[in-house]
Amino acid sequence: CWVCLVVVVYNYQSREMSDVSFVKGDRMELLDDSEPDWWRVRHLKTNEEGLIPWNFVAEEKSVESEE
């Protein structure tokens, strides 16, 4: 997608320097989803870029992000 935004559905505390920490409700811009398990994002609140586990987020405006 041209500019994909994802919304966090579960909290995550980073474990590596390349990870990004986030809490439920945070929004991020999806930069690269070519890896099956870890996506590269830019956190819209902190402007931090890094990797996140793909299954902790949902595409904005999707059913999962509305919960």
Side-chain angles (χ1 to χ4, degrees), residues 5-54:
L5 295 179
V6 293
V7 179
V8 174
V9 291
Y10 304 109
N11 295 349
Y12 178 76
Q13 182 62 47
S14 68
R15 298 182 178 98
E16 305 286 334
M17 291 293 291
S18 57
D19 296 2
V20 176
S21 295
F22 49 80
V23 295
K24 183 175 180 174
D26 284 352
R27 295 168 66 237
M28 301 185 210
E29 179 184 357
L30 181 59
L31 303 174
D32 180 8
D33 63 356
S34 60
E35 288 290 318
D37 298 325
W38 292 86
W39 289 353
R40 176 165 289 284
V41 297
R42 182 175 62 84
H43 196 296
L44 295 181
K45 214 182 277 180
T46 65
N47 228 20
E48 191 179 356
E49 281 189 24
L51 299 173
I52 63 165
W54 70 272

